[in-house]
């Protein structure tokens, strides 16, 4: 069994061999990066199983920050023809908006200088084969440094009860909130029947999956690019439906700021191991625009499902706000399959320019 590694379990003499795939210069010189040309798709790691990827580190010599959205990271498990992970590379490592920035969470970090060191600690077990691939969907080449650190096991029994890592990346560039679109004032929209939201029909979807697995959380990237009435996305409730249950779901929250365990309209960045604010727009008044990244990872309290799982969140109370939402959700399934919907074309993944503001 793989088991969880902690300080208490470190002395346990498990049976495995440590192994690394990296971009090191095999000639013995110091050109320790791979050049990935424009339009190139390249396998950077192929590992025969049984085994488990324990850690991935990368750094990218890119021509512009939006290459964090132009470069696609894919992972395939045990011969599955479709990727279980297909995600813009920066988003996979915990921060959206096509940005790099220093931050620390338990499973993901961007390290100094200025977030250029990407780290992921999600365990990624497999029985037969793991394939890690990148694709440069930009117009210029870049240099890619990487480590893929893994454990190799003598028998498949070591991963017999282990599930496969999957990722869903999603974006809705304009959530088209009804109150904003109709120009309603608070005294008008609070008397509107739509103010009483008793379903997740119009919510922003973070994760929607069928199968037997474990949901492990997500980061949510919100660009408040419009001057909404009472522009506070934090009133949007999170809703999690397990195994196709009807409304109300087993897990229903009280607001987005509560989902990431902040309180009272926080205006400071804060990073705990499993929850926090990686990016705050910087404006002292949260009502006025800007890019934000918040997260909640279910590491100590993973959410188990056997048939299906759906997690969505309101964009403002009762979906009244028009904002730019994107998200990356992490979960495990008992068998490998496509992780989420097909990835959007590169033009639809790029972050909204900061100068593009309305209202």
């Amino acid at each position: 069994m793989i088991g969880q590694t902690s300080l208490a379990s470190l002395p346990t003499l498990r049976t495995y061999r440590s192994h690394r795939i990296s971009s090191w210069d095999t000639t013995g010189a110091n050109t320790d990066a791979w050049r990935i040309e424009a339009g190139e798709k390249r396998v950077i790691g192929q590992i025969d199983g049984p085994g488990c990827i324990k850690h991935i580190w990368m750094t990218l010599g890119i021509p512009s920050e939006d290459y964090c959205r132009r470069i696609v990271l894919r992972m395939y498990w045990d011969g599955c023809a479709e990727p279980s992970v297909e995600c813009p590379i920066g988003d996979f490592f915990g921060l959206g908006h096509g940005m790099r920035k220093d931050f620390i969470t338990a499973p993901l970090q961007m390290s100094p200088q200025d977030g250029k060191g990407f780290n992921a600690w999600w365990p990624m077990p497999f029985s037969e084969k793991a394939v890690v691939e990148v694709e440069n969907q930009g117009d210029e080449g870049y240099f890619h440094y990487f480590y893929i650190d893994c454990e190799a096991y003598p028998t498949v029994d070591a991963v017999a009860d282990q599930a496969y890592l999957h990722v869903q990346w999603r974006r809705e560039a304009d959530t088209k909130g009804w109150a904003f679109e109709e120009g309603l004032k608070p005294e008008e929209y609070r008397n509107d029947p739509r103010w009483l939201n008793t379903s997740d029909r119009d919510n922003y979807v973070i994760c929607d999956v069928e199968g037997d697995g474990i949901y492990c959380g997500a980061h949510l990237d919100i660009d408040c690019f419009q001057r909404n009435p009472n522009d506070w996305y934090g009133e949007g409730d999170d809703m999690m439906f397990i195994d196709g249950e009807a409304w109300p779901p087993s897990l229903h929250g009280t607001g987005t700021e509560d989902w990431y365990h902040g309180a009272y309209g926080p205006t400071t960045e804060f990073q705990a191991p499993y929850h926090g604010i990686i990016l705050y727009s910087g404006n002292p008044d949260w009502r006025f625009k800007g890019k934000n990244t918040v997260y909640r990872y279910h590491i100590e309290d993973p959410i188990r499902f056997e048939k299906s799982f759906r997690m969505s969140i309101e964009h403002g109370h009762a979906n009244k706000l028009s904002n730019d939402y994107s998200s990356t959700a992490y979960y495990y399934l008992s068998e490998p399959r496509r992780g989420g919907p097909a990835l959007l074309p590169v033009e639809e993944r790029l972050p909204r320019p900061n100068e593009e503001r309305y209202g």
Side-chain angles (χ1 to χ4, degrees):
M1 311 293 271
I2 294 175
Q4 281 195 317
T5 301
S6 67
L7 285 174
S9 66
L10 277 177
T12 302
L13 297 175
R14 298 184 296 119
T15 302
Y16 65 93
R17 290 185 63 86
S18 298
H19 181 60
R20 171 180 292 164
I21 296 173
S22 78
S23 56
W24 73 289
D25 188 338
T26 56
T27 70
N30 195 37
T31 307
D32 290 323
W34 291 14
R35 176 77 176 178
I36 312 295
E37 300 297 343
E40 183 179 1
K41 183 187 296 185
R42 190 166 181 183
V43 172
I44 63 172
Q46 182 167 309
I47 311 163
D48 291 330
C52 182
I53 296 173
K54 302 290 284 187
H55 169 246
I56 297 176
W57 166 85
M58 294 181 179
T59 189
L60 315 173
I62 50 179
S64 62
E65 289 300 289
D66 66 10
Y67 271 65
C68 292
R69 281 268 169 93
R70 294 180 184 272
I71 300 167
V72 179
L73 177 67
R74 298 187 182 94
M75 299 182 191
Y76 301 81
W77 311 124
D78 288 350
C80 182
E82 294 188 310
S84 296
V85 174
E86 185 177 46
C87 189
I89 198 164
D91 297 69
F92 176 83
F93 285 97
L95 176 60
H97 304 297
M99 296 175 62
R100 293 177 289 184
K101 179 183 185 296
D102 295 347
F103 72 84
I104 300 171
T105 72
L108 301 162
Q109 301 101 38
M110 288 186 177
S111 307
Q113 185 70 14
D114 300 323
K116 293 181 175 64
F118 295 177
N119 290 273
W121 303 90
W122 298 110
M124 307 176 202
F126 52 93
S127 297
E128 299 173 7
K129 181 183 292 186
V131 177
V132 181
E133 172 189 278
V134 295
E135 182 178 359
N136 179 6
Q137 295 184 352
D139 299 324
E140 301 178 51
Y142 74 95
F143 288 99
H144 198 126
Y145 298 78
F146 62 89
Y147 289 6
I148 303 172
D149 295 320
C150 54
E151 294 179 351
Y153 306 121
T155 70
V156 75
D157 292 343
V159 294
D161 61 348
Q162 304 296 307
Y164 298 89
L165 180 71
H166 288 68
V167 166
Q168 287 191 17
W169 185 84
R170 294 171 178 264
R171 186 190 191 184
E172 191 172 344
D174 186 347
T175 56
K176 294 190 180 299
W178 54 272
F180 177 81
E181 294 295 313
E182 297 173 24
L184 301 179
K185 297 178 181 179
E187 60 270 20
E188 296 171 315
Y189 62 66
R190 286 173 181 163
N191 292 319
D192 192 295
R194 292 170 290 183
W195 185 250
L196 303 177
N197 187 19
T198 57
S199 78
D200 81 330
R201 181 183 58 205
D202 296 319
N203 290 6
Y204 173 79
V205 175
I206 290 178
C207 187
D208 193 3
V209 60
E210 294 183 356
D212 184 10
I214 303 167
Y215 173 72
C216 301
H219 64 87
L220 180 62
D221 308 286
I222 306 170
D223 190 339
C224 302
F225 71 98
Q226 304 216 57
R227 178 70 174 273
N228 288 278
N230 188 24
D231 187 6
W232 174 223
Y233 67 84
E235 295 301 329
D237 293 356
D238 62 293
M239 307 174 193
M240 303 187 199
F241 295 80
I242 297 173
D243 294 341
E245 64 188 342
W247 177 275
S250 293
L251 296 97
H252 193 297
T254 57
T256 304
E257 65 190 296
D258 307 328
W259 169 72
Y260 63 78
H261 302 328
Y264 290 95
T267 58
T268 57
E269 294 176 355
F270 171 82
Q271 296 149 39
Y274 312 130
H275 73 279
I277 306 169
I278 291 173
L279 177 67
Y280 173 66
S281 66
N283 194 305
D285 189 333
W286 42 254
R287 293 176 295 177
F288 298 103
K289 307 177 177 55
K291 291 179 167 63
N292 305 271
T293 291
V294 297
Y295 64 96
R296 169 64 162 100
Y297 297 128
H298 293 266
I299 308 297
E300 303 294 339
D301 55 345
I303 297 174
R304 185 73 168 92
F305 56 93
E306 296 181 352
K307 298 177 181 177
S308 65
F309 177 80
R310 177 180 171 89
M311 193 270 184
S312 68
I313 201 162
E314 295 175 311
H315 39 95
H317 176 73
N319 299 308
K320 69 183 182 71
L321 298 183
S322 297
N323 287 321
D324 184 338
Y325 273 53
S326 58
S327 58
T328 307
Y330 306 85
Y331 58 100
Y332 289 88
L333 286 178
S334 60
E335 59 184 22
R337 61 179 64 173
R338 167 168 284 283
L343 201 62
L344 293 173
V346 64
E347 296 80 10
E348 297 178 35
R349 299 197 306 265
L350 296 181
R352 190 179 300 274
N354 288 332
E355 61 272 15
E356 187 176 323
R357 295 287 180 264
Y358 304 105

